[in-house]
């Protein structure tokens, strides 16, 4: 990507630091897995957002006047033979558009000098283990020089507050990557659905990991670097475990399979869930619950538009699900009352216990405040009918074009004596990724169908 995008982001940060401010942003550390093997390396999202630089061992420093300096791993032929190519400080300014670059080995010597005579130091709070201590060490070195006339920053500020707001609204370039990520993920879902039906038709022993393998195949084939999160491939009753991880359970004819999986492409996540019948044909009760979840998702999509609140899709979903729970007999109206009672008392929570979405971006649960910044002071209090706890509420975020969120209603029926048996162990979630635009929202994950007839047709093919 063009360096100018990253340079423009750094300039926007600089403009918010104050003229004597300084910001320090490390990338993520490498993490040992066992012995001398590390986990697959993933850069820090904030750092990457400002540099486009994916190497470990790197730091970015931005000054209030806009000047910025990269500290990165020095060239080292022997290490590069083992670990791979390093850009190195000499090539970094031309390659990345930063003003200056030094070896990361000089960081501790340089930072006290850079911090001297600044009034505020900004860094991401509570993200990088040990960073606070490291900053304190540099500040102490500046303090040791105050008797010679040096000024030491008096303020430490959380840079997340600045970067979270910037990252919340995705620019055209980010939206383009996210569209492509969602398309790749959708192909993975299609492939997994088709494989399940084909293997079962052939009388094979299908396991959750077979479907997981199809997802990964399609992700990597599409150029994605890795999964955006651990894939959930949940057969049958496993679908009622919200954070189930793909394992080895058999995928049986007659049961549903819930897949929640998405790839990460060039630093951006996708997050898609589909729930399909293992052999390609929904049973009556499965289809009834599926249609309900789908209708609740459509109600949420219909209100996902600029000017709406982040909570509006959730409220729309709950209304439809609550009515459906009464209609299907999952909830007994003689016990729980009418639909408004179900909403007010949160009786639906037994079958729908998560929110309808979250911000999506570089991180699957992306950063960005869910409270409208202009209304943070408007606090109201209510009592939660289930726990009895007092809950403080602030006005929910107003949606704007460029914000990206998931819309993911579900319904999960654990076996219980007061629940019709035909619905036992049905767990359904439908999740799509939406970019808020001028008119409403664009669903970027519909490369895999959601309508039950279309899913059945796809699985016959
Ligand atoms: N895959 C995580 C989520 O749906 O939030
Ligand atoms: Mn999600
Ligand atoms: Mn998901």
């Amino acid at each position: 990507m063009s360096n100018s995008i990253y340079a423009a982001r750094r300039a926007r940060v600089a403009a918010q630091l104050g003229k004597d401010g300084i910001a320090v942003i490390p990338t993520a550390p490498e993490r040992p897995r066992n012995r001398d093997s590390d986990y697959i390396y993933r850069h820090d999202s904030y750092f990457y957002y400002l540099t486009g630089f994916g190497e470990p061992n790197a730091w970015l420093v931005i000054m209030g006047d806009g000047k910025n300096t990269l500290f990165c791993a020095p060239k080292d032929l022997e290490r590069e033979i083992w670990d791979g190519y390093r850009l190195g400080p000499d090539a970094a300014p031309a390659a990345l558009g930063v003003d200056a670059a030094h070896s990361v080995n000089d960081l501790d010597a340089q930072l006290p000098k850079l911090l001297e005579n600044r009034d505020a130091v900004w860094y991401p709070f509570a993200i990088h283990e040990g960073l606070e201590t490291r900053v304190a060490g540099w500040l102490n070195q500046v303090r040791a020089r105050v008797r010679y006339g040096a000024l030491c920053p008096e303020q430490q500020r959380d840079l997340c507050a600045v970067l979270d707001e910037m990252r919340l609204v995705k620019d055209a370039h980010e939206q383009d990557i996210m569209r492509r990520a969602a398309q790749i993920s959708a192909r993975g879902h299609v492939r997994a659905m088709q494989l399940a039906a084909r293997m079962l038709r052939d009388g094979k022993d299908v396991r959750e990991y077979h479907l997981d393998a199809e997802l990964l195949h399609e992700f990597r084939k599409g150029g994605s670097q890795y999964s955006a999160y651990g894939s959930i491939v949940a057969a049958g009753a496993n679908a009622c475990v919200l954070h189930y991880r793909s394992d080895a359970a058999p995928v049986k004819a007659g049961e549903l399979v819930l897949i929640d999986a998405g790839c990460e492409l060039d630093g951006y996540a996708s997050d898609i869930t589909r729930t399909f019948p293992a052999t390609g044909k929904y049973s009556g009760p499965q289809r009834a619950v599926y249609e309900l979840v789908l209708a609740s998702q459509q109600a949420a999509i219909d209100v996902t538009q600029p000017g709406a609140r982040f909570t509006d899709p959730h409220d729309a979903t709950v209304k439809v699900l609550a009515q459906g729970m009464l209609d299907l007999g999952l909830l007994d109206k003689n016990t729980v009352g009418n639909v408004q009672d179900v909403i007010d008392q949160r009786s639906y929570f037994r079958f729908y216990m998560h929110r309808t979405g979250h911000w999506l971006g570089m991180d699957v649960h992306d950063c960005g405040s869910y409270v409208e910044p202009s209304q943070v002071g408007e606090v109201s209090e209510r009592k939660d009918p289930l726990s009895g706890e007092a809950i403080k509420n602030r006005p929910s975020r107003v949606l704007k074009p460029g914000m990206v969120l998931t819309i993911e209603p579900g319904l999960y029926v654990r076996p219980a004596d007061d629940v019709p048996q035909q619905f036992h162990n049905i767990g359904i979630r439908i999740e799509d990724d939406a970019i808020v635009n001028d008119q409403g929202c664009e669903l970027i994950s519909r490369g895999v169908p959601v309508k039950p007839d279309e899913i059945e047709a796809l699985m016959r093919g």
Side-chain angles (χ1 to χ4, degrees):
M1 188 196 20
S2 154
N3 285 332
S4 63
I5 292 179
Y6 300 111
R9 290 176 188 161
R10 292 193 293 269
R12 279 180 70 197
V13 170
Q16 295 176 72
L17 300 179
K19 86 175 169 25
D20 291 324
I22 174 173
V24 182
I25 308 111
T27 193
E30 294 171 288
R31 294 189 195 279
R33 185 167 185 271
N34 48 33
R35 291 252 175 177
D36 56 353
S37 296
D38 288 341
Y39 282 103
I40 293 173
Y41 184 70
R42 164 57 156 80
H43 56 252
D44 172 77
S45 297
Y46 291 122
F47 177 86
Y48 192 81
Y49 182 74
L50 295 171
T51 59
F53 187 49
E55 280 187 27
N57 272 314
W59 296 63
L60 176 69
V61 176
I62 303 178
M63 299 299 211
D65 67 2
K67 287 271 176 303
N68 47 78
T69 305
L70 183 85
F71 291 86
C72 62
K75 295 296 282 180
D76 179 333
L77 185 58
E78 197 190 327
R79 284 315 328 156
E80 290 181 56
I81 288 170
W82 287 89
D83 301 331
Y85 172 80
R86 293 178 180 183
L87 179 64
D90 290 346
L96 302 173
V98 291
D99 297 316
H102 304 289
S103 163
V104 71
N105 298 334
D106 297 339
L107 187 77
D108 284 323
Q110 289 287 327
L111 254 290
K113 291 182 195 154
L114 291 169
L115 286 166
E116 199 169 301
N117 299 322
R118 303 276 136 197
D119 60 4
V121 52
W122 298 69
Y123 55 91
F125 283 9
I127 303 268
H128 301 276
E129 212 180 315
L131 179 57
E132 284 80 0
T133 314
R134 197 111 184 239
V135 172
W138 297 328
L139 290 175
N140 262 328
Q141 290 190 48
V142 180
R143 270 202 206 109
R145 293 182 38 77
V146 291
R147 76 189 75 138
Y148 305 110
L151 295 178
C152 184
E154 289 179 356
Q155 294 177 54
Q156 297 190 39
R157 307 272 314 259
D158 187 6
L159 191 65
C160 296
V162 169
L163 290 172
D164 289 355
E165 279 302 297
M166 289 172 61
R167 280 175 53 188
L168 180 54
V169 177
K170 278 73 179 171
D171 61 30
H173 168 261
E174 296 180 288
Q175 291 179 28
D176 175 58
I177 302 175
M178 293 189 74
R179 276 189 199 94
R180 288 189 283 122
Q183 283 159 8
I184 294 167
S185 299
R187 290 202 293 272
H189 279 260
V190 167
R191 192 177 169 113
M193 284 178 190
Q194 291 182 324
L195 182 91
R198 196 163 61 237
M199 283 182 75
L200 284 171
R201 273 199 301 270
D202 293 347
K204 297 205 173 119
D205 177 27
V206 190
R207 301 286 166 154
E208 291 166 342
Y209 55 74
H210 288 123
L211 309 190
D212 198 13
E214 297 302 294
L215 295 162
L216 293 173
H217 178 99
E218 206 61 46
F219 292 176
R220 291 295 282 140
K221 197 172 112 186
S224 135
Q225 289 78 9
Y226 15 63
S227 298
Y229 52 92
S231 300
I232 298 171
V233 178
N238 292 337
C240 294
V241 179
L242 296 181
H243 288 164
Y244 184 78
R245 289 291 300 268
S246 313
D247 201 350
V251 175
K252 295 192 204 129
E255 289 187 339
L256 293 173
V257 184
L258 182 154
I259 295 185
D260 181 345
C263 71
E264 179 174 313
L265 178 71
D266 299 344
Y268 287 83
S270 52
D271 184 7
I272 305 181
T273 308
R274 291 292 184 264
T275 311
F276 56 94
T279 38
K281 185 98 190 121
Y282 292 94
S283 71
Q286 288 168 351
R287 189 181 259 260
V289 180
Y290 190 93
E291 300 267 18
L292 171 58
V293 177
L294 188 58
S296 78
Q297 194 204 31
Q298 189 56 52
I301 293 164
D302 290 344
V303 297
T304 302
Q305 56 195 20
R309 299 273 177 178
F310 173 80
T311 43
D312 289 349
H314 180 70
D315 294 342
T317 286
V318 163
K319 216 167 176 175
V320 174
L321 288 179
Q323 183 62 57
M325 289 174 198
L326 290 167
D327 295 345
L328 291 175
L330 290 168
L331 291 174
D332 176 6
K333 64 176 181 312
N334 297 315
T335 314
V336 298
N338 64 21
V339 66
Q340 197 54 49
D341 298 323
V342 171
I343 296 167
D344 292 345
Q345 298 305 313
R346 296 181 69 217
S347 323
Y348 62 83
F349 192 76
R350 180 175 175 194
F351 303 110
Y352 182 46
M353 59 298 274
H354 60 76
R355 304 288 297 180
T356 303
H358 50 81
W359 304 132
L360 181 71
M362 296 187 125
D363 302 332
V364 64
H365 293 172
D366 206 29
C367 58
S369 173
Y370 288 90
V371 170
E372 176 56 29
S374 59
Q375 295 180 297
V376 273
E378 298 175 28
V379 187
S380 59
E381 202 167 290
R382 65 178 173 82
K383 200 163 131 185
D384 180 62
L386 297 180
S387 66
E389 275 175 37
I391 305 209
K392 282 196 173 29
N393 267 326
R394 292 183 166 81
S396 168
R397 190 86 199 209
V398 175
L399 299 180
K400 284 205 289 199
M403 291 178 174
V404 184
L405 64 158
T406 64
I407 305 179
E408 49 175 311
L411 206 154
Y412 314 90
V413 189
R414 288 180 169 265
D417 291 343
D418 61 342
V419 172
Q421 213 203 329
Q422 58 178 344
F423 299 121
H424 286 189
N425 291 320
I426 290 181
I428 289 171
R429 181 164 62 256
I430 304 170
E431 176 172 29
D432 281 289
D433 304 341
I435 302 179
V436 180
N437 58 23
D438 289 335
Q439 298 82 39
C441 69
E442 173 191 348
L443 298 179
I444 59 175
S445 46
R446 284 289 172 92
V448 50
V450 278
K451 291 196 182 127
D453 288 346
E454 290 178 9
I455 289 178
E456 289 182 356
L458 180 104
M459 294 180 71
R460 276 195 298 273

